[in-house]
């Protein structure tokens, strides 16, 4: 599943079509695609893993789900879920969810929970975490209403950086450690973006899919953790379990 930084890259690649009129639209989505024809795109936005195409009175939300992909000014052989053609290019989306959001897009989103948004509010994240004292941190860090844009790669890397075992209970984690964790969710997301643009993201992974701890030279544990049962890679020697 693409994480927040990958959707930011999509937004940057699509910026060339801001202010452009859609001259042709097609795809096997269930929305009424005819509604988009001859409409002018006012802006592209992102909220975590959501890509938003904004028009005057509504927006199209695209969620890549697990296997979604896109192409800018080119096509795959597969039939697109949504294809937008402009006078000078095209945007094509595959294996994704497409929905219409009526009215002002700002009424649908809390931008302060997006770890890559200018309005990101770490204090709000801290308050939200405190309301889930009995949860495992591996579940909380993937909660899109608290850390929008954070996915399983970022989860693993941030927990490793902060020396936190993924099955740690929120209430047991010291306040200064939680503050570091919250900050790193945003910091690492921007580093992810930088490395992905340079096509070297995997070279910088220290925990995700790894088998040996770089700090301890001991085997990593690989386990589906928490209620979400997402893959976690962690070192039981240096990542403290707060329970």
């Amino acid at each position: 599943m693409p994480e927040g930084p990958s959707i930011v890259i999509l937004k940057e690649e699509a910026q060339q079509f801001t202010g452009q009129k859609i001259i042709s639209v097609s795809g096997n989505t269930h929305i009424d695609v005819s509604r988009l024809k001859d409409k002018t795109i006012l802006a592209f936005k992102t909220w975590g893993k959501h890509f938003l195409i904004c028009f005057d009175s509504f927006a199209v939300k695209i969620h890549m789900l697990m296997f979604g992909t896109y192409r800018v000014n080119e096509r795959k052989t597969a039939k697109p879920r949504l294809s937008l053609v402009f006078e000078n290019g095209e945007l094509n989306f595959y294996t994704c969810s497409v929905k219409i959001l009526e009215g002002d897009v700002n009424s649908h989103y809390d931008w302060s929970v997006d770890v890559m948004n200018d309005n990101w509010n770490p204090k709000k994240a801290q308050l939200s975490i405190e309301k889930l004292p009995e949860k495992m941190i591996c579940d909380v860090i993937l909660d899109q209403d608290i850390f929008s844009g954070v996915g399983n790669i970022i989860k693993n890397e941030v927990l490793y950086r902060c020396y936190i075992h993924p099955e740690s209970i929120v209430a047991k984690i010291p306040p200064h450690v939680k503050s570091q964790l919250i900050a790193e969710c945003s910091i690492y997301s921007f580093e992810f973006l930088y490395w992905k643009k340079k096509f070297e993201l995997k070279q910088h992974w220290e925990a995700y899919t790894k088998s040996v701890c770089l700090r301890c030279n001991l085997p990593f544990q690989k386990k589906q953790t928490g209620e979400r049962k997402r893959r976690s890679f962690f070192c039981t020697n240096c990542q403290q379990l707060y329970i």
Side-chain angles (χ1 to χ4, degrees), residues 181-200:
L181 172 77
I182 292 167
E184 284 292 346
C185 284
S186 181
I187 292 168
Y188 188 84
S189 294
F190 282 100
E191 291 179 358
F192 183 123
L193 175 64
Y194 175 76
W195 292 326
K196 191 169 179 65
K197 285 182 176 181
K198 295 182 68 178
F199 303 99
E200 58 181 44

Side-chain angles (χ1 to χ4, degrees), residues 153-173:
I153 296 173
I154 297 173
K155 178 203 80 177
N156 277 280
E157 294 297 317
V158 167
L159 289 174
Y160 184 66
R161 279 189 176 187
C162 296
Y163 295 81
I164 304 172
H165 190 293
E167 294 177 313
S168 295
I169 302 303
V170 168
K172 303 297 183 180
I173 302 173

Side-chain angles (χ1 to χ4, degrees), residues 7-18:
I7 306 305
V8 170
I9 291 174
L10 164 56
K11 181 184 73 172
E12 293 175 353
E13 293 180 359
Q15 287 297 352
Q16 59 188 289
F17 302 118
T18 301

